[in-house]
């Protein structure tokens, strides 16, 4: 009977080493009494009364035999399974009747509570007295019974689903029967934890294989109670079982199935499940244990288990993404050159087919890696790169290791390409595309990948550029636009910038809106302030370069990029006013090569024009030739956008050139001292109310309130003298030439027709010249209307002395005005609209020459130059006939009073022949307006003074008399 009942390897009490009895055990039974108990246990009938034993009586009979007949323990423990099963069944029935409220359960359990308690007491005493003989047996019995009960009642109403682990654990731990079994197993594991816990862990693994996932609550509870022990022993037992069944093939590792796992590695799934439950709270312990196993297997003296450790760890990683994510990053960090060389020696003896399978497994695991994916990639790339001449010899890796990493990278890219391009597109009727964790993790490292790609290091940039392509296709469209944005922003040479064009060439076939999305991201990043000033300038330069590079057709990147950039002209135009000249200049370059959209909001267009004009004067002031070129080109492009834009540009350019802050660029007076030196009067407490009370409100103050203090403040002295900054004549001439050249281009100069048969276009458009004329009048005399075109009699100048003096001072302070009048005169009949300026200036000059007491006009150089320029300009604009307009040629040979008389003749002619646009006729042959002076009054009567002057100075001017004949 002992041979039948004793467990394997355990000697029962009849032998030489009987198990000790509990201290509180009842007296030993006689042989006759023991025989009756055995008969009652086997038959289930009371031998004395002959009636059937109840569950409680039968259980107590079994307990009695367990105390007095240890060889019968296997049969007794098997019978006690029914007691626990009955308890659980009754518990669940009453739980269903109470509508699933465990706190309201009043079960029949108390009928068996004392029996369950007695069972626990007996088994606990046996385990405490002789753990070596009882712990392994009882632990296997209790853990297997919990597995059976969990699986048997998993489908019952009121039992939570296996996925609800916390609710399931709460349910079973509230049941006394299962809680007692858990306490018994915990006692067994505690008693053997310091000697040999493998038996208890083996039982846990076997049961987990059979009854998972319903058994997961047991694993979770035991694992949280003994985390370090369970992790260590579960891995140890799993490795032993893996060695016993042999290493799995690559197909098994890559495509694990339940059937295959049961035949080849029956406990590996259980190991994965148990570690998966513990990973949520004990990932650090799992990671350390896995790393310890890995490094321990690389020692010089390796047994069979150490040789199988790496395949075993690969098997775990394939079956559990959680374990893969737990260890991947730290494992990569630990792969130093010495460890890599040890791995090389470890696998050098394997057949080529096994090595290929191993590489395939590694590539598959990398594709499934999420945490630390970028570190893993950089490790592979750095290791695969050829050795540097500065590498320390002791830290170098074997060439075979480099070749292996090179092959891993190539296979990784090939595998990722298959995964990406075979995903397809998700629809409502289909499952979503399969995720690639490796690429999902790399989405957050696009910038780092772009930086590494732009380093242009041999194979490195090719690999990472290919990875950027795959990542862009996988994460369409966000990663594609992000990668292209970083390449455009960080590229500092044309060779680096070519990587962006190559990326677009690959992605354009599958991403139609790549460039618009990229430009939108550029705008968002600029508005968010994510880019430094240097990066912003570099981005604009690169965009401009690409738009200038490729312009073969509508499908080229340059054309498409230009269309995308033109949608955000307003956003980019704001950077023309950037405080950093480099950024503003780069923005000007990009906008100058960007095609203008067919339609743009008037407010945005006006803002662009204003910003471009301001930027032009700014770079002109800073003497930046490159910026001047970009700014001029931008203004010319904007002038062709619409007639409104052209007029606005002319207005802002003329107003800007005449502005006191820019006047010094063209040889003018910078700012009036009264305005420039206001800072010296900051301490003066001036009350406008007091001023009005003192001088009365009827007093006409010209200018601002500071005109009252034009010389200074009483008690504070005079204002400090104003010494304006004087530029070099060469610089002034260059600035004037640059400005007039731009103004001429915006006015239509140099524009030629696309068809040779058409007539030539006027050098200066009359409409543009009229705009300049109107702006000049508004800037110099804002209180004058354009209706004052007719010239009044000379006596009328007495009523406009103040305005005429202001006009004369303005011309004297701004030499550029004469150049602007010449430009207006070239666009006949636009000079008619400057009539008020012409007569104001002429009145000032006439007054000067009349009052002059000098012997010759050379003594008043500015007035002489102004008089000559005025008459020549009026002749150019066909306000004067040629015979009168030529008189300026002799002004330097005359006396001041003679010039006054000649100008008075001009005034009389203008009075009798008012400068009206209606007097001009358009010539279709030349494309210009001209004036037929034969329709006007006889010119001869206005030449009397001129002829008299010529006659008086016949000795010096006789040769010129032919130019003044009608």
């Amino acid at each position: 009977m002992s041979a039948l009942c004793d467990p394997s390897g355990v000697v029962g009490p009849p032998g030489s080493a009987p198990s000790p009895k509990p201290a509180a055990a009842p007296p030993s039974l006689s042989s006759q009494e023991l025989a009756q108990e055995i008969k009652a246990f086997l038959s289930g009938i009371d031998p004395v009364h002959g009636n059937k034993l109840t569950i409680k009586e039968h259980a107590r009979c079994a307990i009695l035999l367990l105390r007095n007949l240890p060889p019968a323990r296997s049969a007794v423990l098997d019978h006690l399974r029914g007691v626990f099963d009955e308890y659980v069944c009754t518990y669940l029935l009453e739980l269903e009747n109470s509508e699933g409220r465990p706190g309201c359960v009043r079960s029949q359990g108390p009928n068996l509570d004392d029996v369950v308690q007695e069972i626990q007491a007996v088994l606990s005493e046996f385990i405490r007295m002789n753990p070596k003989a009882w712990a392994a047996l009882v632990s296997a019995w209790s853990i297997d019974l919990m597995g059976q009960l969990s699986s048997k009642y998993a489908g019952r109403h009121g039992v939570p689903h296996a996925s609800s682990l916390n609710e399931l654990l709460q349910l079973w731990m509230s049941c006394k029967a299962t809680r007692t079994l858990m306490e018994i197993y915990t006692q067994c594991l505690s008693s053997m934890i310091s000697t040999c816990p493998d038996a208890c862990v083996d039982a846990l693994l076997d049961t987990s294989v059979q009854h998972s996932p319903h058994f997961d609550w047991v694993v979770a509870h035991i694992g949280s109670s003994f985390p370090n022990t369970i992790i260590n022993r579960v891995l140890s037992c799993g490795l032993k079982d893996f060695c016993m069944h042999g290493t799995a093939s690559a197909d098994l590792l890559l495509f694990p199935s339940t059937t295959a796992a049961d035949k080849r590695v029956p406990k590996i799934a259980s190991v994965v499940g148990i570690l998966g439950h513990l990973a949520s709270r004990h990932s650090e312990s799992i990671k350390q244990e896995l790393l310890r196993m890995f490094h321990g297997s690389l020692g010089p003296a390796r047994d069979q288990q150490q040789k199988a450790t790496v395949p075993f760890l690969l098997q775990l990683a394939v079956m559990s993404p959680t374990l893969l994510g737990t260890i991947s990053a730290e494992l990569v960090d630990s792969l130093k050159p010495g460890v890599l060389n040890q791995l090389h020696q470890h696998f050098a003896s394997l057949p080529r087919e096994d090595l290929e399978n191993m590489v395939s497994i590694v590539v598959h695991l990398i594709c499934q890696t999420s945490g630390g994916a970028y570190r893993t990639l950089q490790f592979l790339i750095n290791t695969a790169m050829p050795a540097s001449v500065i590498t320390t010899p002791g830290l170098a890796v074997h060439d075979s290791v480099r070749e292996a990493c090179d092959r891993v990278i190539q296979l990784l890219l090939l595998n990722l390409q298959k995964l990406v391009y075979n995903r397809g597109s998700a629809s409502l009727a289909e499952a979503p595309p399969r995720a690639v964790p490796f690429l999902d993790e790399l989405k957050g490292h696009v910038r780092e990948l772009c930086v590494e790609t732009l380093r242009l290091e041999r194979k490195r940039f090719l690999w990472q550029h290919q990875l950027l392509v795959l990542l862009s296709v996988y994460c369409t469209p966000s990663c594609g636009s992000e990668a292209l944005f970083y390449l455009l922003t960080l590229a500092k040479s044309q060779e680096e910038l070519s990587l962006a064009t190559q990326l677009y060439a690959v992605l354009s076939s599958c991403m139609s809106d790549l460039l618009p999305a990229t430009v939108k991201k550029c705008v968002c990043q600029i508005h968010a302030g994510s880019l430094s000033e240097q990066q912003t300038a570099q981005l604009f330069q690169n965009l401009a370069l690409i738009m200038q590079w490729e312009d073969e057709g509508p499908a080229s990147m340059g054309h498409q990029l230009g269309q995308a950039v033109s949608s955000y002209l307003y956003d980019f135009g704001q950077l023309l006013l950037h405080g950093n000249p480099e950024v503003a200049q780069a923005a000007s370059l990009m906008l100058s090569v960007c095609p203008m959209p067919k339609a743009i909001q008037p407010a945005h267009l006006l803002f662009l024009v204003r910003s471009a004009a301001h930027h032009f004067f700014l770079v002109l002031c800073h003497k930046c030739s490159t910026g001047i070129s970009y700014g001029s080109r931008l203004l010319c492009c904007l002038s062709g956008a619409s007639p409104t834009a052209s007029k606005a540009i002319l207005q802002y350019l003329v107003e800007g050139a005449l502005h006191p802050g820019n006047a010094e660029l063209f040889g003018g007076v910078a700012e009036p001292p009264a305005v420039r030196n206001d800072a010296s009067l900051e301490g003066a407490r001036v009350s406008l109310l007091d001023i009005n009370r003192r001088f009365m409100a009827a007093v006409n103050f010209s200018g601002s309130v500071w005109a009252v203090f034009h010389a200074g403040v009483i008690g504070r002295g005079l204002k400090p003298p104003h010494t304006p900054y004087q530029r070099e004549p060469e610089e002034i001439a260059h600035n004037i030439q640059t400005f007039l050249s731009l103004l001429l281009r915006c006015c239509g100069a140099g524009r030629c027709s696309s068809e040779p048969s058409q007539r030539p276009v006027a050098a200066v458009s009359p409409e543009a010249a009229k705009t300049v004329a109107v702006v000049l009048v508004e800037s110099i005399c804002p209180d004058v209307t354009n209706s004052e075109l007719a010239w009044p009699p000379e006596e009328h100048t007495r009523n406009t002395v103040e305005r005429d003096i202001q006009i004369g001072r303005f011309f004297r302070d701004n030499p550029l005005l004469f150049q602007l009048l010449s430009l207006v005169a070239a666009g006949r009949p636009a000079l008619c609209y400057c009539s008020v300026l012409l007569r104001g200036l002429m009145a000032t000059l006439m007054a000067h020459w009349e009052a002059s007491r000098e012997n010759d006009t050379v003594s008043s150089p500015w007035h002489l130059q102004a008089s000559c320029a005025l008459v020549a300009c009026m002749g150019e604009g066909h306000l004067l006939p040629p015979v009168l307009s030529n008189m300026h040629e002799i002004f330097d040979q005359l006396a001041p009073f003679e010039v006054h008389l000649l100008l008075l003749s001009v005034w009389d002619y203008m009075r009798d022949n008012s400068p009206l646009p209606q007097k001009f006729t358009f010539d279709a042959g030349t494309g210009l307006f001209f004036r037929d002076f034969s329709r006007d009054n006889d010119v001869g009567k206005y030449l009397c003074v001129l002829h008299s002057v010529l006659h008086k100075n016949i000795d010096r001017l006789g040769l010129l008399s032919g130019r003044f004949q009608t």
Side-chain angles (χ1 to χ4, degrees):
M1 189 171 185
S2 174
L4 294 175
C5 298
D6 280 356
S8 176
V10 180
V11 181
S16 58
S19 300
K21 305 297 188 297
S28 300
L29 300 177
S30 62
S31 300
Q32 184 177 1
E33 292 174 340
L34 188 58
Q36 289 182 352
E37 293 295 335
I38 293 174
K39 183 177 180 181
F41 174 75
L42 294 176
S43 62
I45 299 175
D46 188 349
V48 179
H49 301 91
N51 57 334
K52 185 177 181 180
L53 297 175
T54 62
I55 296 179
K56 188 175 181 179
E57 293 172 345
H58 205 165
R60 285 211 168 95
C61 179
I63 294 173
L64 186 62
L65 290 179
L66 187 62
R67 288 178 179 274
N68 295 277
L69 190 62
R73 53 190 171 186
S74 296
V76 170
L77 292 176
D78 187 65
H79 173 77
L80 294 179
R81 290 174 181 265
V83 176
F84 284 89
D85 182 79
E86 181 66 23
Y87 192 106
V88 171
C89 181
T90 303
Y91 173 79
L92 292 178
L93 282 174
E94 296 190 357
L95 192 64
E96 294 174 4
N97 295 334
S98 62
E99 298 180 352
R101 292 175 293 176
C104 302
V105 176
R106 180 177 177 82
S107 67
Q108 298 177 4
N111 293 330
L112 296 177
D113 278 352
D114 52 347
V115 175
V116 170
Q117 188 173 357
E118 291 178 17
I119 295 172
Q120 181 181 8
V122 172
L123 294 178
S124 299
E125 186 66 19
F126 286 159
I127 295 168
R128 185 180 63 82
M129 298 299 296
N130 192 359
K132 185 177 181 180
W134 288 92
L137 175 66
V138 175
S139 65
W141 169 79
S142 61
I143 204 73
D144 182 64
L145 181 55
M146 283 189 286
Q148 290 181 358
L149 295 175
S150 300
S151 297
K152 180 178 179 180
Y153 296 103
R156 291 287 291 270
H157 179 70
V159 177
H161 191 267
S163 60
S164 303
L165 192 61
N166 292 331
E167 298 179 7
L168 195 64
L169 180 63
Q170 183 179 0
L171 172 72
W172 289 122
M173 292 303 290
S174 63
C175 176
K176 184 176 178 60
T178 50
R179 186 173 66 251
T180 299
L181 292 174
M182 183 68 73
E183 293 173 355
I184 292 174
Y185 178 82
T186 302
Q187 183 182 3
C188 294
L189 185 58
S190 301
S191 63
M192 300 186 67
I193 197 169
S194 58
T195 56
C196 183
D198 287 358
C200 297
V201 176
D202 277 336
L204 181 66
L205 291 176
D206 292 335
T207 308
S208 179
V209 170
Q210 297 176 11
H211 299 287
S212 182
H214 312 296
F215 187 70
D216 292 349
W217 69 274
V218 178
V219 175
H221 182 78
I222 296 175
S224 61
S225 301
F226 307 93
N228 295 329
T229 301
I230 292 298
I231 292 171
N232 179 275
R233 303 319 303 172
V234 162
L235 287 173
S236 177
C237 295
L239 179 59
K240 291 179 182 178
D241 189 79
F242 188 81
C243 293
M244 290 176 57
H245 292 82
T247 57
S249 65
D251 294 337
L252 175 61
L253 288 174
L254 292 175
F255 307 102
S257 61
T258 304
T259 305
D262 289 341
K263 292 181 180 179
R264 302 279 303 195
V265 278
K267 294 183 180 179
I268 192 72
S270 181
V271 172
V272 170
I274 292 174
L275 295 180
H277 286 302
L278 298 177
S280 60
R281 294 187 178 181
H282 306 283
S283 60
E284 187 66 24
S285 299
I286 296 176
K287 177 179 63 180
Q288 296 300 328
E289 186 62 28
L290 293 175
L291 290 175
R292 186 195 63 78
M293 291 181 64
F294 170 74
H295 291 289
S297 67
L298 301 178
R302 303 194 311 274
D303 54 16
Q304 188 64 27
Q305 286 190 11
Q306 289 178 322
K307 293 180 180 179
T309 298
V310 173
F312 172 69
L313 295 178
L314 290 176
Q315 173 76 56
L316 291 179
V318 169
M319 298 180 65
S320 175
T322 303
L323 296 180
L324 176 62
T326 301
I327 194 178
S328 58
E330 284 71 14
L331 179 61
V332 169
D333 293 339
S334 67
L335 294 178
K336 305 301 180 183
V339 177
L340 291 175
N341 293 332
Q342 288 180 340
L343 279 175
H344 167 65
Q345 297 175 2
H346 181 63
F347 292 109
S349 60
L350 293 180
R352 182 177 181 83
E353 182 180 359
D354 292 345
L355 288 176
E356 292 294 332
N357 293 338
M358 195 70 67
V359 171
S360 300
I361 296 169
V362 171
V363 170
H364 171 77
L365 290 177
I366 294 175
C367 292
Q368 301 304 315
T369 300
S370 56
Y374 181 74
R375 292 158 65 183
T376 303
L377 176 66
Q378 293 305 310
F379 161 77
L380 290 174
I381 293 178
N382 293 333
T383 308
M385 290 295 291
S388 174
V389 293
I390 61 174
T391 303
T392 306
L395 300 179
V397 297
H398 198 275
D399 290 339
S400 298
V401 177
R402 300 188 187 279
E403 295 174 1
C405 288
D406 191 320
R407 177 152 180 78
V408 168
I409 294 175
Q410 296 179 8
L411 292 177
L412 173 63
L413 294 174
L414 181 61
N415 193 28
L416 290 174
Q417 182 175 354
K418 294 178 181 179
L419 293 175
V420 168
Y421 286 101
N422 292 336
R423 294 172 77 233
S425 58
S427 62
L428 296 177
E430 299 177 358
R434 182 181 178 185
V436 183
F438 183 78
L439 295 179
D440 287 331
E441 173 66 17
L442 288 182
K443 287 191 296 186
H445 299 276
V446 175
R447 188 182 190 280
E448 291 87 343
L449 288 173
C450 292
V451 171
E452 291 294 325
T453 303
L454 292 173
R455 292 172 61 181
L456 298 176
E457 292 185 3
R458 287 180 276 189
K459 297 180 179 181
R460 176 191 294 268
F461 83 95
L462 295 176
W463 289 332
Q464 301 196 87
H465 190 271
Q466 185 177 355
L467 188 60
L468 282 175
V469 173
L470 296 175
L471 191 60
S472 301
V473 177
Y474 175 76
C475 304
T476 303
S478 59
C479 281
S481 59
E482 185 177 2
L484 194 56
F485 160 73
Y486 283 122
L487 290 178
L488 291 173
T489 304
L490 302 176
K492 297 182 179 179
S493 65
Q494 294 190 12
E495 186 178 5
E496 294 177 359
L497 188 58
S498 64
L499 295 176
T501 61
Q502 295 171 16
L503 180 65
Y504 171 77
V506 177
L507 298 179
S508 59
S509 59
C510 57
M511 300 174 63
S512 59
D513 296 333
L514 176 59
L515 287 179
T518 302
V519 176
K520 181 179 179 180
K521 185 170 183 63
C522 294
V523 174
C524 293
Q525 293 292 326
I526 292 173
H527 284 323
S530 303
L531 299 180
S532 65
E533 295 179 351
Q534 182 179 2
Q535 291 175 340
T536 304
Q538 188 67 55
L539 172 63
F540 291 160
Q541 293 172 4
N542 292 337
L543 291 176
L545 192 58
I546 291 179
M547 286 188 284
Q548 292 174 306
W549 262 358
E550 305 179 5
D551 198 15
E552 296 83 4
S556 65
M557 181 180 180
H559 180 81
Q560 298 292 334
L561 182 61
Q563 297 297 324
V565 172
S566 64
S567 302
Y568 296 92
L569 288 182
Y570 177 74
D571 299 275
F572 291 125
Q574 298 178 18
L575 296 174
L576 292 172
L577 306 176
H578 198 280
N580 189 334
E582 184 180 358
V583 176
Q585 180 178 332
S588 177
L589 168 63
M590 183 189 67
L591 293 175
S592 66
V593 300
C594 173
M596 291 294 113
K598 296 181 179 179
I600 184 172
Q601 297 183 22
H604 291 178
L605 182 60
L606 187 62
F607 173 79
L608 276 176
V609 169
R610 185 168 60 248
S611 302
H614 176 81
H615 172 71
F616 171 77
F617 288 109
L618 194 62
V619 295
L620 193 64
C621 180
H622 292 165
K623 306 177 185 179
C624 179
S625 58
T626 307
I628 294 172
S629 175
Y630 298 156
S632 301
R633 188 192 309 175
L634 174 59
L635 287 170
C636 290
C637 293
L638 290 174
S639 66
S642 68
T644 305
S646 179
K647 292 182 179 180
I649 288 176
L650 295 175
Q651 177 183 351
Y652 283 119
L653 285 178
V654 174
E655 290 179 351
L658 300 180
H659 190 274
N662 299 324
E664 62 177 358
L665 296 173
F666 310 103
V669 178
E671 288 185 8
V675 179
R676 176 67 65 89
N677 296 303
D678 284 346
S680 62
L681 300 176
E682 289 180 356
R685 296 183 178 180
V686 180
S687 171
L688 183 60
L689 180 60
D690 293 341
I691 294 171
N692 290 335
R693 286 174 177 173
R694 187 180 309 134
F695 295 98
M696 303 304 293
V699 179
N700 181 19
F701 298 104
S702 61
S704 65
V705 67
W706 294 108
V708 179
F709 310 100
H710 57 87
V713 178
I714 296 175
R716 294 181 179 273
L718 297 174
K719 292 182 180 180
H722 173 62
T723 55
Y725 170 72
Q726 295 293 334
R727 295 179 180 267
E728 296 295 332
E730 294 81 4
E731 180 184 350
I732 294 175
H734 177 267
N735 291 342
I736 292 177
Q737 181 182 2
T738 301
F739 176 75
L740 292 178
S741 175
L742 172 61
L743 205 60
L744 282 171
R745 280 186 287 170
C746 294
C747 287
R751 296 181 184 175
C752 58
S753 176
S754 59
E755 298 183 8
S757 60
Q758 294 184 357
R759 58 176 175 81
V761 182
V764 178
S765 169
E767 287 296 326
K770 178 182 176 181
T771 302
V772 176
V774 172
V775 174
L776 287 176
V777 173
E778 291 179 351
S779 300
I780 301 175
C781 299
D783 55 339
V784 176
T785 62
N786 291 329
S787 61
E788 299 184 20
L789 301 183
W791 283 52
E794 190 268 339
E795 295 80 7
H796 182 74
T797 57
R798 301 171 184 174
N799 300 326
T800 59
V801 172
E802 183 178 3
R803 186 179 71 186
D804 295 342
I805 293 175
Q806 180 182 355
I807 293 174
R809 184 184 299 116
F810 212 99
F811 272 86
R812 186 163 189 165
D813 293 342
N814 295 275
L816 182 64
L817 281 175
F818 292 102
Q819 305 285 347
L820 294 177
L821 282 180
S822 298
L823 185 143
V824 173
R828 297 188 294 266
L831 193 60
C832 298
Y833 298 96
C834 290
S835 178
V836 64
L837 300 182
L838 298 176
R839 65 175 181 260
L841 178 60
M842 184 172 290
T844 303
L845 294 173
M846 290 169 58
H848 170 77
W849 295 125
E850 183 181 13
S852 177
R853 294 297 178 263
E854 301 291 342
N855 295 326
D856 53 18
T857 56
V858 181
S859 301
S860 301
W862 183 86
H863 294 84
L864 174 61
Q865 180 185 1
S867 300
C868 295
L870 176 61
V871 175
C873 180
M874 295 174 67
E876 175 68 20
H878 282 198
L879 300 186
L880 294 176
V883 67
L884 285 178
S885 62
N886 293 336
M887 68 171 60
H888 71 277
E889 299 175 3
I890 62 174
F891 281 175
D892 59 337
Q893 303 294 329
L894 304 179
F897 78 94
E898 294 174 330
V899 175
H900 170 257
L901 293 175
L902 293 178
L903 291 180
L904 187 59
S905 300
V906 172
W907 187 284
D908 293 338
Y909 178 85
M910 295 297 296
R911 180 196 61 198
D912 298 336
N913 302 278
S914 298
L916 301 177
Q918 295 83 348
K919 295 184 178 182
F920 287 79
T921 305
F922 180 73
D923 184 4
T926 60
L928 301 174
F929 285 88
F930 73 98
R931 181 176 177 180
D932 186 4
F933 292 100
S934 63
R935 298 179 181 180
D936 296 335
N937 296 331
D938 183 18
V939 183
K941 65 178 183 178
Y942 305 103
L943 299 177
C944 297
V945 176
L946 176 60
H947 290 162
S948 298
V949 171
L950 290 173
H951 186 268
K952 179 183 178 182
N953 301 280
I954 192 66
D955 56 333
R956 292 181 292 112
L957 304 177
L959 296 176
L960 299 176
S961 60
R963 291 184 57 81
F964 304 102
Q965 300 297 325
T966 57

